[in-house]
Amino acid sequence: MSGIYIHIPFCKQACHYCDFHFSTNMGKKEAMVSALIKELELRKEEFKEEELQTIYFGGGTPSVLNTAEINQIIGAVYSKYTVVSAPEITLEANPDDLSKEKIEELAKSPINRLSIGIQSFFEEDLKMMNRAHNSEEAEDCIVLAKNYFDNISIDLIYGIPVMTNERWIANIEKALAFGVPHISSYALTVEPKTALKTFIDKGLIPPVDDELAEVHFHILVQKLEAAGFINYEISNFGKPGYFSRNNTAYWQGKKYLGIGPSAHSYDGIRRGWNVNNNTKYLKAISQNELPMEVEVLSKTDRYNEYIMTGLRTIWGVSLERIKEEFGGEFHSYLLRQASKKIEDGLLYVEKEHLFVSPKGKFLSDGIAADLFLVNLS
Ligand code: SF4
């Protein structure tokens, strides 16, 4: 089981909170599509034994590509790799790109899952975050998309300083009313070197409040679970049958090939990451070089990653796997580190798996970090 991630490094405008890799200069879009196709060719040997279950267009904003460009890239994947008969093919899309015409075209393409960056249905939040769409576009694109796509996910952001609990509840209720089967929801985080950080430092925007984010998170879990969603990963909620196959494979440590500037790859042993600069990426690919750095993960790295991802998901951390794959020393260390948190009700063990309790869920990354190893191997 494996997948391909394709990073489309362009956005119409920079959202104030974003630190992903993208450029607002679309001048190199055509050259980028050709380079992505060439990288697919250059790396096909890496995945010659693999069957692709998922193809994922992320970004940046993949919906800035026209449908012909998207089809060209998917065609290149099919011609160079083995793809299962019913793959999940996701396109991240922003509401301002999803006109009726575009949705109709996409519905005729192999794309079978849309992940729409709604973030909020309210103008005030969207303006504060400098999103390229407005609240009307946020609503209209879901109504339109639902006519053509069954598998739709929307992204929502909570913990926004100007967002009251009432407005957060209204956001969730709108999402539920649209009947989408999957919701990804993240707390607003203040990343270094973003406009949001500058505005907060200058006192133009109130600081992000962790307590507000935690309240919003608990409201989210309560409302979505009551509506039949499963919180299968801290930030992801799906109706049965609608979990993201791409993300699930990633959390379960499956192999993936990351194509495009800043994309990461994992082959079970090594992690690679492409240069996060469009010009350098294009130049290297034009010279048949891979602009990638690679590190071999140590046993400790792999243990730490498994703890981090395992605790974020409903599948938990298998104590048996820890013992078999990492050995008794790691197993004993984990149980020792976990014991206090189990006593405090933040973690629990069931059927030989370690899970984060509802009380600990919002804090799961910090809890995982306390279970990490620094130097056993
Ligand atoms: S559209 Fe997405 S990738 Fe682009 S700036 Fe906004 S959050 Fe970042």
Side-chain angles (χ1 to χ4, degrees):
M1 189 165 153
S2 53
I4 283 195
Y5 171 84
I6 299 160
H7 190 84
I8 307 301
F10 300 105
C11 291
K12 286 187 186 159
Q13 65 188 52
C15 301
H16 285 160
Y17 56 88
C18 180
D19 73 341
F20 292 147
H21 171 64
F22 66 91
S23 165
T24 50
N25 176 0
M26 303 275 174
K28 293 182 181 142
K29 188 160 74 85
E30 267 178 46
M32 185 60 69
V33 171
S34 303
L36 295 171
I37 290 171
K38 187 150 170 211
E39 190 185 354
L40 284 166
E41 165 68 27
L42 291 172
R43 297 183 65 187
K44 65 182 181 193
E45 287 301 304
E46 290 178 43
F47 261 39
K48 66 173 189 283
E49 309 288 342
E50 300 296 323
E51 272 202 321
L52 296 179
Q53 309 266 348
T54 61
I55 301 169
Y56 190 99
F57 287 85
T61 311
S63 54
V64 298
L65 297 184
N66 61 46
T67 317
E69 291 168 329
I70 293 167
N71 284 335
Q72 227 184 318
I73 296 170
I74 296 174
V77 173
Y78 271 86
S79 73
K80 299 172 207 308
Y81 296 81
T82 308
V83 184
V84 296
S85 61
E88 173 190 274
I89 309 184
T90 304
L91 183 85
E92 287 183 356
N94 277 347
D96 45 304
D97 291 323
L98 291 178
S99 62
K100 184 167 188 286
E101 194 189 9
K102 178 86 170 229
I103 292 173
E104 279 174 354
E105 282 174 18
L106 289 172
K108 289 186 204 138
S109 81
I111 300 287
N112 53 28
R113 182 171 183 271
L114 285 183
S115 173
I116 310 177
I118 300 290
Q119 315 311 353
S120 173
F121 290 102
F122 292 90
E123 216 56 52
E124 202 178 341
D125 302 328
L126 295 170
K127 286 217 168 82
M128 201 222 95
M129 294 189 282
N130 200 37
R131 296 289 304 180
H133 65 277
N134 58 35
S135 56
E136 198 181 328
E137 287 169 321
E139 299 200 10
D140 290 352
C141 76
I142 303 178
V143 175
L144 281 171
K146 282 203 69 188
N147 292 331
Y148 298 90
F149 287 87
D150 162 54
N151 200 347
I152 297 174
S153 177
I154 65 168
D155 285 358
L156 293 176
I157 292 183
Y158 58 87
I160 301 172
V162 294
M163 183 189 261
T164 58
N165 290 349
E166 289 67 35
R167 196 150 80 226
W168 177 231
I169 290 168
N171 258 316
I172 299 169
E173 285 175 352
K174 269 186 193 278
L176 291 176
F178 283 118
V180 291
H182 190 281
I183 295 173
S184 298
S185 191
Y186 304 90
L188 183 69
T189 49
V190 185
E191 303 295 346
K193 296 188 195 151
T194 56
L196 179 64
K197 170 97 174 72
T198 308
F199 295 152
I200 290 174
D201 288 349
K202 287 187 175 164
L204 300 170
I205 294 178
V208 168
D209 174 353
D210 287 345
E211 280 173 28
L212 177 75
E214 188 166 358
V215 170
H216 285 182
F217 176 73
H218 289 299
I219 293 171
L220 176 75
V221 173
Q222 189 266 324
K223 288 216 156 272
L224 293 190
E225 286 186 344
F229 284 80
I230 299 163
N231 187 196
Y232 68 105
E233 193 268 352
I234 299 291
S235 306
N236 285 274
F237 301 76
K239 288 270 176 77
Y242 289 94
F243 295 0
S244 159
R245 283 163 61 189
N246 173 77
N247 295 359
T248 301
Y250 169 75
W251 295 315
Q252 294 184 342
K254 310 292 185 213
K255 296 178 186 181
Y256 57 91
L257 201 64
I259 301 290
S262 82
H264 285 216
S265 301
Y266 179 60
D267 68 2
I269 301 164
R270 293 170 309 164
R271 182 171 306 293
W273 56 97
N274 285 351
V275 64
N276 60 354
N277 176 298
N278 288 2
T279 307
K280 286 183 185 164
Y281 173 82
L282 289 170
K283 183 161 180 244
I285 295 288
S286 73
Q287 294 166 346
N288 293 334
E289 285 167 13
L290 294 178
M292 193 189 342
E293 283 184 60
V294 176
E295 70 169 346
V296 176
L297 297 184
S298 67
K299 201 190 218 189
T300 301
D301 292 336
R302 284 186 288 111
Y303 162 89
N304 289 345
E305 288 203 5
Y306 179 46
I307 297 292
M308 173 66 98
T309 50
L311 287 184
R312 289 183 65 97
T313 66
I314 49 164
W315 301 287
V317 171
S318 160
L319 298 174
E320 205 177 292
R321 178 174 159 193
I322 294 284
K323 204 186 269 177
E324 275 174 14
E325 195 175 326
F326 301 100
E329 210 179 339
F330 283 72
H331 183 258
S332 316
Y333 175 83
L334 174 59
L335 292 184
R336 239 183 1 259
Q337 292 298 106
S339 62
K340 175 81 174 75
K341 299 194 185 299
I342 293 173
E343 262 172 46
D344 293 344
L346 297 170
L347 291 172
Y348 66 96
V349 176
E350 197 176 282
K351 294 187 182 150
E352 282 299 292
H353 283 70
L354 186 65
F355 299 96
V356 175
S357 68
K359 182 180 162 193
K361 217 181 229 184
F362 186 73
L363 311 168
S364 69
D365 287 353
I367 293 172
D370 289 341
L371 309 180
F372 284 176
L373 255 165
V374 189
N375 55 10
L376 259 194
S377 72

mmCIF file with all atom_site columns, all heavy atoms in Angstrom, residues 239-251:
data_model
loop_
_atom_site.group_PDB
_atom_site.id
_atom_site.type_symbol
_atom_site.label_atom_id
_atom_site.label_alt_id
_atom_site.label_comp_id
_atom_site.label_asym_id
_atom_site.label_entity_id
_atom_site.label_seq_id
_atom_site.pdbx_PDB_ins_code
_atom_site.Cartn_x
_atom_site.Cartn_y
_atom_site.Cartn_z
_atom_site.occupancy
_atom_site.B_iso_or_equiv
_atom_site.pdbx_formal_charge
_atom_site.auth_seq_id
_atom_site.auth_comp_id
_atom_site.auth_asym_id
_atom_site.auth_atom_id
_atom_site.pdbx_PDB_model_num
ATOM 1   N N   . LYS A 1 239 ? -17.155 10.225 8.295  1.00 0.00 ? 239 LYS A N   1
ATOM 2   C CA  . LYS A 1 239 ? -18.248 9.269  8.424  1.00 0.00 ? 239 LYS A CA  1
ATOM 3   C C   . LYS A 1 239 ? -17.678 7.907  8.039  1.00 0.00 ? 239 LYS A C   1
ATOM 4   O O   . LYS A 1 239 ? -16.706 7.848  7.256  1.00 0.00 ? 239 LYS A O   1
ATOM 5   C CB  . LYS A 1 239 ? -19.385 9.663  7.459  1.00 0.00 ? 239 LYS A CB  1
ATOM 6   C CG  . LYS A 1 239 ? -20.158 10.915 7.893  1.00 0.00 ? 239 LYS A CG  1
ATOM 7   C CD  . LYS A 1 239 ? -21.327 10.523 8.783  1.00 0.00 ? 239 LYS A CD  1
ATOM 8   C CE  . LYS A 1 239 ? -22.092 11.703 9.345  1.00 0.00 ? 239 LYS A CE  1
ATOM 9   N NZ  . LYS A 1 239 ? -22.986 12.339 8.388  1.00 0.00 ? 239 LYS A NZ  1
ATOM 10  N N   . PRO A 1 240 ? -18.241 6.792  8.551  1.00 0.00 ? 240 PRO A N   1
ATOM 11  C CA  . PRO A 1 240 ? -17.710 5.476  8.168  1.00 0.00 ? 240 PRO A CA  1
ATOM 12  C C   . PRO A 1 240 ? -17.634 5.360  6.638  1.00 0.00 ? 240 PRO A C   1
ATOM 13  O O   . PRO A 1 240 ? -18.559 5.747  5.930  1.00 0.00 ? 240 PRO A O   1
ATOM 14  C CB  . PRO A 1 240 ? -18.744 4.502  8.764  1.00 0.00 ? 240 PRO A CB  1
ATOM 15  C CG  . PRO A 1 240 ? -19.330 5.261  9.918  1.00 0.00 ? 240 PRO A CG  1
ATOM 16  C CD  . PRO A 1 240 ? -19.357 6.704  9.494  1.00 0.00 ? 240 PRO A CD  1
ATOM 17  N N   . GLY A 1 241 ? -16.498 4.843  6.170  1.00 0.00 ? 241 GLY A N   1
ATOM 18  C CA  . GLY A 1 241 ? -16.304 4.692  4.716  1.00 0.00 ? 241 GLY A CA  1
ATOM 19  C C   . GLY A 1 241 ? -15.697 5.917  4.058  1.00 0.00 ? 241 GLY A C   1
ATOM 20  O O   . GLY A 1 241 ? -15.407 5.897  2.863  1.00 0.00 ? 241 GLY A O   1
ATOM 21  N N   . TYR A 1 242 ? -15.510 6.993  4.812  1.00 0.00 ? 242 TYR A N   1
ATOM 22  C CA  . TYR A 1 242 ? -14.992 8.227  4.214  1.00 0.00 ? 242 TYR A CA  1
ATOM 23  C C   . TYR A 1 242 ? -13.684 8.708  4.847  1.00 0.00 ? 242 TYR A C   1
ATOM 24  O O   . TYR A 1 242 ? -13.329 9.866  4.699  1.00 0.00 ? 242 TYR A O   1
ATOM 25  C CB  . TYR A 1 242 ? -16.049 9.337  4.284  1.00 0.00 ? 242 TYR A CB  1
ATOM 26  C CG  . TYR A 1 242 ? -17.191 9.104  3.338  1.00 0.00 ? 242 TYR A CG  1
ATOM 27  C CD1 . TYR A 1 242 ? -18.352 8.463  3.759  1.00 0.00 ? 242 TYR A CD1 1
ATOM 28  C CD2 . TYR A 1 242 ? -17.105 9.511  2.000  1.00 0.00 ? 242 TYR A CD2 1
ATOM 29  C CE1 . TYR A 1 242 ? -19.406 8.238  2.888  1.00 0.00 ? 242 TYR A CE1 1
ATOM 30  C CE2 . TYR A 1 242 ? -18.160 9.285  1.123  1.00 0.00 ? 242 TYR A CE2 1
ATOM 31  C CZ  . TYR A 1 242 ? -19.298 8.653  1.572  1.00 0.00 ? 242 TYR A CZ  1
ATOM 32  O OH  . TYR A 1 242 ? -20.332 8.429  0.695  1.00 0.00 ? 242 TYR A OH  1
ATOM 33  N N   . PHE A 1 243 ? -12.989 7.841  5.567  1.00 0.00 ? 243 PHE A N   1
ATOM 34  C CA  . PHE A 1 243 ? -11.678 8.261  6.077  1.00 0.00 ? 243 PHE A CA  1
ATOM 35  C C   . PHE A 1 243 ? -10.774 8.490  4.876  1.00 0.00 ? 243 PHE A C   1
ATOM 36  O O   . PHE A 1 243 ? -10.862 7.761  3.883  1.00 0.00 ? 243 PHE A O   1
ATOM 37  C CB  . PHE A 1 243 ? -11.045 7.167  6.948  1.00 0.00 ? 243 PHE A CB  1
ATOM 38  C CG  . PHE A 1 243 ? -11.779 6.859  8.230  1.00 0.00 ? 243 PHE A CG  1
ATOM 39  C CD1 . PHE A 1 243 ? -12.935 7.527  8.588  1.00 0.00 ? 243 PHE A CD1 1
ATOM 40  C CD2 . PHE A 1 243 ? -11.286 5.881  9.083  1.00 0.00 ? 243 PHE A CD2 1
ATOM 41  C CE1 . PHE A 1 243 ? -13.605 7.224  9.759  1.00 0.00 ? 243 PHE A CE1 1
ATOM 42  C CE2 . PHE A 1 243 ? -11.942 5.574  10.274 1.00 0.00 ? 243 PHE A CE2 1
ATOM 43  C CZ  . PHE A 1 243 ? -13.108 6.242  10.603 1.00 0.00 ? 243 PHE A CZ  1
ATOM 44  N N   . SER A 1 244 ? -9.893  9.468  4.978  1.00 0.00 ? 244 SER A N   1
ATOM 45  C CA  . SER A 1 244 ? -8.953  9.719  3.880  1.00 0.00 ? 244 SER A CA  1
ATOM 46  C C   . SER A 1 244 ? -7.978  8.546  3.785  1.00 0.00 ? 244 SER A C   1
ATOM 47  O O   . SER A 1 244 ? -7.241  8.260  4.732  1.00 0.00 ? 244 SER A O   1
ATOM 48  C CB  . SER A 1 244 ? -8.182  11.017 4.144  1.00 0.00 ? 244 SER A CB  1
ATOM 49  O OG  . SER A 1 244 ? -6.987  11.028 3.399  1.00 0.00 ? 244 SER A OG  1
ATOM 50  N N   . ARG A 1 245 ? -7.975  7.872  2.640  1.00 0.00 ? 245 ARG A N   1
ATOM 51  C CA  . ARG A 1 245 ? -7.057  6.735  2.481  1.00 0.00 ? 245 ARG A CA  1
ATOM 52  C C   . ARG A 1 245 ? -5.620  7.236  2.405  1.00 0.00 ? 245 ARG A C   1
ATOM 53  O O   . ARG A 1 245 ? -4.697  6.575  2.863  1.00 0.00 ? 245 ARG A O   1
ATOM 54  C CB  . ARG A 1 245 ? -7.417  5.951  1.203  1.00 0.00 ? 245 ARG A CB  1
ATOM 55  C CG  . ARG A 1 245 ? -8.647  5.074  1.396  1.00 0.00 ? 245 ARG A CG  1
ATOM 56  C CD  . ARG A 1 245 ? -9.252  4.627  0.082  1.00 0.00 ? 245 ARG A CD  1
ATOM 57  N NE  . ARG A 1 245 ? -8.344  3.820  -0.728 1.00 0.00 ? 245 ARG A NE  1
ATOM 58  C CZ  . ARG A 1 245 ? -8.603  3.474  -1.994 1.00 0.00 ? 245 ARG A CZ  1
ATOM 59  N NH1 . ARG A 1 245 ? -9.725  3.838  -2.566 1.00 0.00 ? 245 ARG A NH1 1
ATOM 60  N NH2 . ARG A 1 245 ? -7.738  2.753  -2.669 1.00 0.00 ? 245 ARG A NH2 1
ATOM 61  N N   . ASN A 1 246 ? -5.443  8.413  1.809  1.00 0.00 ? 246 ASN A N   1
ATOM 62  C CA  . ASN A 1 246 ? -4.094  8.982  1.707  1.00 0.00 ? 246 ASN A CA  1
ATOM 63  C C   . ASN A 1 246 ? -3.520  9.261  3.098  1.00 0.00 ? 246 ASN A C   1
ATOM 64  O O   . ASN A 1 246 ? -2.420  8.822  3.437  1.00 0.00 ? 246 ASN A O   1
ATOM 65  C CB  . ASN A 1 246 ? -4.158  10.278 0.895  1.00 0.00 ? 246 ASN A CB  1
ATOM 66  C CG  . ASN A 1 246 ? -2.831  11.017 0.882  1.00 0.00 ? 246 ASN A CG  1
ATOM 67  O OD1 . ASN A 1 246 ? -1.916  10.636 0.171  1.00 0.00 ? 246 ASN A OD1 1
ATOM 68  N ND2 . ASN A 1 246 ? -2.719  12.055 1.690  1.00 0.00 ? 246 ASN A ND2 1
ATOM 69  N N   . ASN A 1 247 ? -4.283  9.973  3.915  1.00 0.00 ? 247 ASN A N   1
ATOM 70  C CA  . ASN A 1 247 ? -3.769  10.343 5.236  1.00 0.00 ? 247 ASN A CA  1
ATOM 71  C C   . ASN A 1 247 ? -3.624  9.128  6.139  1.00 0.00 ? 247 ASN A C   1
ATOM 72  O O   . ASN A 1 247 ? -2.674  9.023  6.907  1.00 0.00 ? 247 ASN A O   1
ATOM 73  C CB  . ASN A 1 247 ? -4.698  11.368 5.901  1.00 0.00 ? 247 ASN A CB  1
ATOM 74  C CG  . ASN A 1 247 ? -4.725  12.668 5.143  1.00 0.00 ? 247 ASN A CG  1
ATOM 75  O OD1 . ASN A 1 247 ? -4.045  12.814 4.131  1.00 0.00 ? 247 ASN A OD1 1
ATOM 76  N ND2 . ASN A 1 247 ? -5.520  13.606 5.600  1.00 0.00 ? 247 ASN A ND2 1
ATOM 77  N N   . THR A 1 248 ? -4.570  8.199  6.027  1.00 0.00 ? 248 THR A N   1
ATOM 78  C CA  . THR A 1 248 ? -4.505  6.999  6.862  1.00 0.00 ? 248 THR A CA  1
ATOM 79  C C   . THR A 1 248 ? -3.220  6.222  6.566  1.00 0.00 ? 248 THR A C   1
ATOM 80  O O   . THR A 1 248 ? -2.524  5.782  7.486  1.00 0.00 ? 248 THR A O   1
ATOM 81  C CB  . THR A 1 248 ? -5.747  6.111  6.610  1.00 0.00 ? 248 THR A CB  1
ATOM 82  O OG1 . THR A 1 248 ? -6.904  6.878  6.925  1.00 0.00 ? 248 THR A OG1 1
ATOM 83  C CG2 . THR A 1 248 ? -5.720  4.863  7.470  1.00 0.00 ? 248 THR A CG2 1
ATOM 84  N N   . ALA A 1 249 ? -2.887  6.092  5.281  1.00 0.00 ? 249 ALA A N   1
ATOM 85  C CA  . ALA A 1 249 ? -1.660  5.369  4.912  1.00 0.00 ? 249 ALA A CA  1
ATOM 86  C C   . ALA A 1 249 ? -0.443  6.076  5.512  1.00 0.00 ? 249 ALA A C   1
ATOM 87  O O   . ALA A 1 249 ? 0.473   5.445  6.030  1.00 0.00 ? 249 ALA A O   1
ATOM 88  C CB  . ALA A 1 249 ? -1.539  5.294  3.389  1.00 0.00 ? 249 ALA A CB  1
ATOM 89  N N   . TYR A 1 250 ? -0.461  7.391  5.466  1.00 0.00 ? 250 TYR A N   1
ATOM 90  C CA  . TYR A 1 250 ? 0.651   8.166  6.022  1.00 0.00 ? 250 TYR A CA  1
ATOM 91  C C   . TYR A 1 250 ? 0.783   7.907  7.529  1.00 0.00 ? 250 TYR A C   1
ATOM 92  O O   . TYR A 1 250 ? 1.864   7.607  8.031  1.00 0.00 ? 250 TYR A O   1
ATOM 93  C CB  . TYR A 1 250 ? 0.403   9.656  5.729  1.00 0.00 ? 250 TYR A CB  1
ATOM 94  C CG  . TYR A 1 250 ? 1.330   10.583 6.457  1.00 0.00 ? 250 TYR A CG  1
ATOM 95  C CD1 . TYR A 1 250 ? 2.650   10.731 6.059  1.00 0.00 ? 250 TYR A CD1 1
ATOM 96  C CD2 . TYR A 1 250 ? 0.879   11.317 7.556  1.00 0.00 ? 250 TYR A CD2 1
ATOM 97  C CE1 . TYR A 1 250 ? 3.511   11.578 6.740  1.00 0.00 ? 250 TYR A CE1 1
ATOM 98  C CE2 . TYR A 1 250 ? 1.726   12.163 8.241  1.00 0.00 ? 250 TYR A CE2 1
ATOM 99  C CZ  . TYR A 1 250 ? 3.046   12.291 7.839  1.00 0.00 ? 250 TYR A CZ  1
ATOM 100 O OH  . TYR A 1 250 ? 3.885   13.119 8.524  1.00 0.00 ? 250 TYR A OH  1
ATOM 101 N N   . TRP A 1 251 ? -0.345  7.962  8.236  1.00 0.00 ? 251 TRP A N   1
ATOM 102 C CA  . TRP A 1 251 ? -0.290  7.755  9.685  1.00 0.00 ? 251 TRP A CA  1
ATOM 103 C C   . TRP A 1 251 ? 0.083   6.329  10.045 1.00 0.00 ? 251 TRP A C   1
ATOM 104 O O   . TRP A 1 251 ? 0.580   6.059  11.127 1.00 0.00 ? 251 TRP A O   1
ATOM 105 C CB  . TRP A 1 251 ? -1.628  8.118  10.349 1.00 0.00 ? 251 TRP A CB  1
ATOM 106 C CG  . TRP A 1 251 ? -1.947  9.565  10.223 1.00 0.00 ? 251 TRP A CG  1
ATOM 107 C CD1 . TRP A 1 251 ? -1.083  10.607 10.425 1.00 0.00 ? 251 TRP A CD1 1
ATOM 108 C CD2 . TRP A 1 251 ? -3.189  10.148 9.842  1.00 0.00 ? 251 TRP A CD2 1
ATOM 109 N NE1 . TRP A 1 251 ? -1.716  11.795 10.194 1.00 0.00 ? 251 TRP A NE1 1
ATOM 110 C CE2 . TRP A 1 251 ? -3.015  11.543 9.837  1.00 0.00 ? 251 TRP A CE2 1
ATOM 111 C CE3 . TRP A 1 251 ? -4.438  9.636  9.506  1.00 0.00 ? 251 TRP A CE3 1
ATOM 112 C CZ2 . TRP A 1 251 ? -4.022  12.432 9.523  1.00 0.00 ? 251 TRP A CZ2 1
ATOM 113 C CZ3 . TRP A 1 251 ? -5.454  10.509 9.194  1.00 0.00 ? 251 TRP A CZ3 1
ATOM 114 C CH2 . TRP A 1 251 ? -5.239  11.895 9.196  1.00 0.00 ? 251 TRP A CH2 1
#
